[in-house]
Amino acid sequence: MRSAANGAGGALLITGEPGMGKTRLVEAASGLAAAAGVSARVGRCEQLEVERALSGPLRAFDRQIDANSWHSVGIRTLLQAGAGTAESSLLADGLLEVLESECARAPLLLAIEDLHWADLTTLFWLRAIARRAADLPLLLLLTTRPVPMGTEVHRALASLDTPRLDLSPLAPEVARALAGAALENAPTCQVADAVDRAAGNPLLVLAILDALKAGAPAAADGVVALVRELKHSTLRTLQTAAILGHEIDPVLLAAMAGIRTVDLLADLEAGMAAGVVLATSAGFAFRHELHREAVLAEMVPATRAALHMEAARVLTTAGASPLAVAEHYARGARPGDQKAVIWLYYAAQEIVGTAPEAALRLCDVAIAAGHQQPQPELLLAKVRALAGAGRASEADALGRALLREPLAPAVQARLHRELAFTAFMQGRADISAAEMERCATLTDNPCLQARVQGEVAFARFLVIDHAGARDAGQRAVTEGRHTHDKAAQVAGGAVLCFLDLYKMRLDQACERAREIVELADQPENNDSHAFQPWFIAALAYLESDQFDLLTATSRRGREQAIRYGSAWAVPAYDAISAFGSLRIGELDDAAAAAEAALSYADGVDGFGIAVWCNAFLAQIALHRGADDLAAERIGAAQHWLAKGRAQLGFEQLCLAAAELHERRGGIDMAYSVLAEVWEVFVANDMRSPLPGFGAALARLASHTGHAARSAEVAAVLADLATDAGTVRTRLVADVAAAWRDGDADRAVRAAELAARTPLKPLTAATLTDAASLLKIRGRAVDADRLADAATKRWSAMGADANAAICAAMRVTAQSTTPRSRFGVAALTRTERQVVRLVAEGKTNAEIANVLGVSRRTVESHVSATYRKLEVTTRVSMTRVALHHRI
């Protein structure tokens, strides 16, 4: 607590059997917090049939529990397929910002109890918090009962990197001392014998004493004894309350019990006198979950089920959410209860985006509750839940079985659409496209038809059917204009923009980018965000070297993705930012953004940017001389590529792999890697990736004696430069031609042109190529001059390995002075801004807003500055900032 109050907190996981004292320690910590001026937040997880992501933390921060049912607004698209945890991830990010804001105001104690009942999103969130605790004025206390080995919860708790306190039973003499303190007298032999039966469980010791005081016979389980001593009316009231949960709402309980509030309060006071219930700031609650469980155990299953059905009725009347109502239907529904089936279906639909496993459970309960063949809509909901839970093959099998049944055209169209999604998740893009085509033929609504054509265009694009994609995209635009459906126009226009990019018709691509962003930015909610036009526009601006537009568009896209709950798209904006930073030589910024993108779980990444970002990080590692790390990143990218989903960045991965081979002396292998990917892209008329590695391929072809390949690459890049009309494509074409012809002067002219651009790595690489060609031609003085210039440029970017290679090219080799790795001098411009803003007391979320990047990118920058400044907390960083007047 003292460390947290001083700005560097920590975390503790407390484990123990029920009644062993976990909650008592949390209460003691809360008392210490009040005395130390530390604010306290306490939340608890509950045993629920209908999983609600982050319910415990949401309770702690007084957020609406059903906020986790919030999901993406509008339609679900092919790009979102399989992003089952996306919405809950965005909610977790939002709650993390709430926590950081509270910590910025005052030191905080956050206690989350009963993690054995936590959902996986809560455990994922707490793992992230535990990692940050030492950097925040935060004491994180977690409690749990022992959980079975091999379960998801056990694995998640085992991965928490926190100290643990295991509460063991009290020794017999300590238990008797506790009894004596409670009785204010030495315990009699009868009392001592009864206490010994509690096996050292302090709550049971105290419950035995309470039971003895109430005149109940001594029993090993004092909690059960207390409950059995209650009057029948009091017990019935408490049983009804126990059905509703741990906390007791007197108004809701009175409505459910059908009794007057005065009588209800009398029963609750009797429960308090017996030690089963206690008063809280919000009303009443059971003294411990063991007391609630003991009350419930006094009911036969039929009675309990009937009370759950009554709770569902009362909650429906009170206007509760479908989730709250479905919780009781899931526990009490009997076969043939169609009302229960309907509620369960609606609740499953509501949570399938945040908790697909829980939605699947609700679908199964609803199917079991129906007395006849399940309705197709219910089975369709199960198909989506299976897919969202990562069980795509089962979803596909169920969907195809359902197709054999007579279905209304609208239901059949939706089913084909779901099958398109499951096929896409399995890496079967051709089947996905075919299923989307079938959906289009069954859709007769003009607006829906236009939108489906937009998705058909995306599906055709993903199977490299560019002609089919263009036809469908144009139809979506035309029909969308006719029906005034902007989302369809954006979908079709986005695919057409992609196609123009692939052909390197950059003027047309940028014009389409402007159009689709303008449509999507119109104030009315038109579902355009579902197709993420800002990402596609940012790609167009990247290829046309319009980096200011790239930054602004990426920021806007991220804001819109968060606004509409499209968490699956958020990593893509970090990825495109990383690519932009890499192009202009801001290696640290590129690494921070790429790491941020990769920090999202698999299910969040709709665009498939993991290959891209791992390839970027591999290239950065190679620039810095960390070849082993580069190999790890290449392996990670290949792992993602093997998953079969649509992935960006294949050529970037090959570029990194080729460079690693070359560093290790495998120049022929490096050539083969790039030659193979060149053939793939040229054969499919995908031209936009070619400038990224064409010059490297031309150089390798020249060195390995593949003159024909060198000539082919130079010719293709020359045509492409004419079509694209950008300085970058012209530079790459000139370098390729210089290697083809052995024309050192042409390479020198290209280097002079490159120096006038913001493309720092390309400039340094062009200088390196020019120096190499000059050296081959025997022009040692000129070669040394350009090698010196390249060395300085590589070194200024922190690309120490490239700088060393260039320095070694000189006739008289000179050692290089690498950029400082530690201290204030090692900080990049962005990192200095981050340090300044941290020193001003801003949270990561506030810093992200100032810089126009994601909060996770800021976290990456903060981690980098800790390493460079050799500090471990924001307080220490602030001292450094003040000392150096940052």
Side-chain angles (χ1 to χ4, degrees):
M1 188 73 73
R2 282 194 298 271
S3 295
N6 290 328
L12 179 66
L13 176 63
I14 305 174
T15 64
E17 296 290 345
M20 205 59 72
K22 302 183 294 296
T23 298
R24 182 68 189 87
L25 288 175
V26 170
E27 291 169 352
S30 298
L32 287 172
V38 175
S39 60
R41 293 279 190 178
V42 181
R44 60 196 312 277
C45 304
E46 286 190 292
Q47 189 176 18
L48 296 169
E49 290 293 313
V50 185
E51 178 181 306
R52 271 158 269 187
L54 293 167
S55 61
L58 284 167
R59 282 190 180 88
F61 289 102
D62 299 324
R63 288 320 199 251
Q64 176 63 37
I65 297 303
D66 287 327
N68 63 343
S69 66
W70 166 79
H71 54 281
S72 296
V73 177
I75 60 176
R76 176 167 158 259
T77 68
L78 191 68
L79 294 174
Q80 189 180 355
T85 62
E87 285 82 5
S88 56
S89 171
L90 197 59
L91 179 64
D93 267 11
L95 198 57
L96 182 57
E97 292 180 12
V98 171
L99 177 130
E100 289 178 345
S101 296
E102 292 227 356
C103 287
R105 287 194 292 270
L108 176 68
L109 162 67
L110 174 63
I112 306 295
E113 295 208 70
D114 296 334
L115 289 184
H116 47 279
W117 288 325
D119 60 281
L120 293 181
T121 304
T122 291
L123 294 168
F124 174 81
W125 185 78
L126 289 172
R127 189 162 64 243
I129 299 305
R131 288 197 299 266
R132 293 169 173 80
D135 176 38
L136 294 169
L138 171 69
L139 173 56
L140 178 65
L141 279 186
L142 309 172
T143 74
T144 181
R145 298 179 187 177
V147 295
M149 292 184 66
T151 62
E152 289 283 358
V153 173
H154 182 271
R155 284 192 287 270
L157 289 175
S159 69
L160 281 173
D161 186 20
T162 61
R164 296 176 183 239
L165 175 63
D166 298 315
L167 301 183
S168 55
L170 302 178
E173 62 273 17
V174 178
R176 291 176 184 177
L178 173 62
L183 295 171
E184 298 182 354
N185 283 303
T188 64
C189 292
Q190 178 191 16
V191 171
D193 288 343
V195 166
D196 287 345
R197 291 180 209 150
N201 186 304
L203 181 70
L204 295 184
V205 168
L206 297 176
I208 287 169
L209 299 179
D210 288 341
L212 289 172
K213 289 176 187 176
D221 193 333
V223 174
V224 172
L226 278 177
V227 168
R228 288 178 176 170
E229 287 298 306
L230 294 171
K231 288 170 46 180
H232 177 75
S233 62
T234 300
L235 177 60
R236 178 60 72 195
T237 298
L238 294 185
Q239 287 174 334
T240 305
I243 289 292
L244 291 169
H246 182 81
E247 297 171 354
I248 301 172
D249 182 340
V251 176
L252 196 61
L253 178 58
M256 186 171 162
I259 59 177
R260 296 183 307 161
T261 304
V262 173
D263 297 331
L264 172 76
L265 292 174
D267 286 336
L268 291 176
E269 287 169 359
M272 289 176 60
V276 178
V277 173
L278 51 79
T280 68
S281 58
F284 299 89
F286 284 94
R287 181 175 174 183
H288 191 277
E289 190 60 23
L290 286 178
H291 292 84
R292 178 172 173 263
E293 290 171 1
V295 167
L296 288 171
E298 295 300 306
M299 284 189 288
V300 298
T303 302
R304 192 183 298 189
L307 283 174
H308 277 298
M309 296 300 286
E310 180 63 16
R313 182 192 65 80
V314 171
L315 288 169
T316 301
T317 304
S321 73
L323 287 177
V325 175
E327 173 69 28
H328 295 283
Y329 276 128
R331 293 173 183 265
R334 293 184 176 184
D337 189 336
Q338 287 303 115
K339 183 182 289 187
V341 171
I342 292 170
W343 275 101
L344 291 165
Y345 166 72
Y346 280 128
Q349 290 282 78
E350 187 167 335
I351 66 171
V352 70
T354 55
E357 291 277 9
L360 181 58
R361 156 84 175 134
L362 290 182
C363 289
D364 287 337
V365 172
I367 289 169
H371 64 279
Q372 55 191 7
Q373 178 69 20
Q375 290 294 314
E377 287 82 357
L378 179 55
L379 293 175
L380 187 55
K382 184 174 180 178
V383 169
R384 180 178 176 186
L386 281 166
R391 296 158 64 178
S393 58
E394 293 175 62
D396 186 74
L398 177 59
R400 299 206 177 280
L402 186 54
L403 276 177
R404 292 193 287 269
E405 303 295 327
L407 301 172
V411 175
Q412 195 174 349
R414 286 168 51 204
L415 180 55
H416 280 297
R417 196 159 178 265
E418 288 296 333
L419 288 172
F421 294 157
T422 58
F424 180 74
M425 290 169 59
Q426 294 173 299
R428 300 184 297 168
D430 54 340
I431 295 175
S432 176
E435 292 295 345
M436 201 61 79
E437 292 278 10
R438 294 187 185 102
C439 173
T441 61
L442 290 164
T443 304
D444 54 9
N445 182 300
C447 288
L448 290 178
Q449 180 67 249
R451 291 196 185 188
V452 171
Q453 285 300 323
E455 294 200 78
V456 168
F458 270 107
R460 288 293 166 204
F461 175 74
L462 292 170
V463 295
I464 319 181
D465 175 8
H466 290 172
R470 186 170 294 280
D471 288 344
Q474 195 58 62
R475 281 189 62 185
V477 171
T478 302
E479 294 174 14
R481 286 172 181 162
H482 181 70
T483 58
H484 305 290
D485 189 318
K486 294 182 176 62
Q489 296 175 59
V490 167
V495 173
L496 295 174
C497 182
F498 257 136
L499 293 170
D500 286 336
L501 268 177
Y502 269 2
K503 302 292 187 185
M504 285 301 275
R505 293 192 287 258
L506 294 183
D507 288 343
Q508 295 95 313
C510 289
E511 179 58 25
R512 287 195 190 277
R514 185 193 61 76
E515 290 173 358
I516 59 177
V517 165
E518 189 175 277
L519 280 169
D521 276 339
Q522 291 181 9
E524 67 269 23
N525 178 20
N526 53 42
D527 289 334
S528 297
H529 62 89
F531 299 99
Q532 296 305 314
W534 303 275
F535 175 73
I536 297 159
L539 275 175
Y541 299 139
L542 173 75
E543 292 303 327
S544 56
D545 299 332
Q546 300 183 70
F547 296 106
D548 289 342
L549 271 176
L550 163 64
T551 300
T553 305
S554 180
R555 177 174 187 168
R556 176 64 173 164
R558 186 186 297 109
E559 291 170 350
Q560 293 294 79
I562 293 171
R563 174 187 176 188
Y564 288 112
S566 299
W568 57 272
V570 173
Y573 292 103
D574 286 332
I576 193 70
S577 296
F579 204 170
S581 295
L582 191 60
R583 281 268 174 92
I584 61 174
E586 300 292 344
L587 301 188
D588 290 307
D589 288 359
E595 291 281 11
L598 289 174
S599 69
Y600 289 84
D602 180 13
V604 180
D605 177 15
F607 276 100
I609 49 81
V611 171
W612 223 11
C613 290
N614 275 298
F616 296 156
L617 291 168
Q619 292 175 35
I620 293 167
L622 287 166
H623 284 315
R624 293 170 172 168
D627 291 2
D628 290 342
L629 176 58
E632 289 178 20
R633 288 296 186 180
I634 290 168
Q638 290 168 338
H639 167 75
W640 282 96
L641 200 61
K643 285 176 174 278
R645 287 182 56 196
Q647 298 283 358
L648 294 167
F650 180 57
E651 81 286 354
Q652 295 298 318
L653 169 60
C654 292
L655 185 60
E659 186 170 351
L660 183 61
H661 283 306
E662 188 174 2
R663 291 277 179 90
R664 292 176 170 177
I667 189 169
D668 289 317
M669 182 62 75
Y671 166 76
S672 296
V673 169
L674 292 188
E676 185 175 348
V677 70
W678 174 273
E679 290 170 2
V680 169
F681 285 129
V682 170
N684 288 287
D685 199 20
M686 297 163 66
R687 306 172 75 197
S688 60
L690 302 181
F693 66 96
L697 176 57
R699 175 177 57 79
L700 291 170
S702 176
H703 285 323
T704 55
H706 293 85
R709 175 74 69 189
S710 180
E712 176 202 350
V713 171
V716 170
L717 291 178
D719 288 344
L720 193 150
T722 300
D723 292 342
T726 65
V727 174
R728 182 172 66 91
T729 54
R730 178 183 161 190
L731 282 170
V732 170
D734 283 345
V735 171
W739 280 110
R740 177 196 62 198
D741 302 332
D743 186 347
D745 290 323
R746 186 166 187 174
V748 171
R749 290 194 297 273
E752 291 170 351
L753 174 61
R756 298 195 290 271
T757 74
L759 306 170
K760 298 174 189 174
L762 182 58
T763 300
T766 304
L767 284 166
T768 304
D769 285 337
S772 181
L773 281 164
L774 287 166
K775 187 175 181 181
I776 291 170
R777 291 299 178 192
R779 295 163 61 181
V781 173
D782 290 337
D784 283 1
R785 177 174 55 80
L786 266 65
D788 277 343
T791 299
K792 291 174 182 176
R793 286 183 178 271
W794 285 123
S795 184
M797 285 183 276
D800 297 334
N802 300 80
I805 291 169
C806 288
M809 289 171 56
R810 290 174 48 92
V811 173
T812 305
Q814 293 182 349
S815 61
T816 61
T817 303
R819 195 177 71 181
S820 299
R821 295 177 58 199
F822 298 102
V824 171
L827 298 178
T828 66
R829 179 179 56 83
T830 303
E831 288 165 352
R832 289 180 69 92
Q833 287 181 285
V834 169
V835 170
R836 176 177 60 80
L837 293 168
V838 166
E840 290 177 5
K842 287 185 166 52
T843 66
N844 287 347
E846 291 168 336
I847 296 170
N849 187 54
V850 171
L851 300 182
V853 299
S854 71
R855 182 185 53 74
R856 296 196 186 203
T857 300
V858 172
E859 288 176 5
S860 298
H861 281 307
V862 170
S863 296
T865 55
Y866 280 170
R867 175 178 53 80
K868 291 180 179 181
L869 298 178
E870 299 178 284
V871 299
T872 57
T873 69
R874 297 168 92 88
V875 173
S876 301
M877 186 190 292
T878 299
R879 293 195 187 104
V880 173
L882 292 171
H883 179 73
H884 290 277
R885 298 181 180 178
I886 298 180

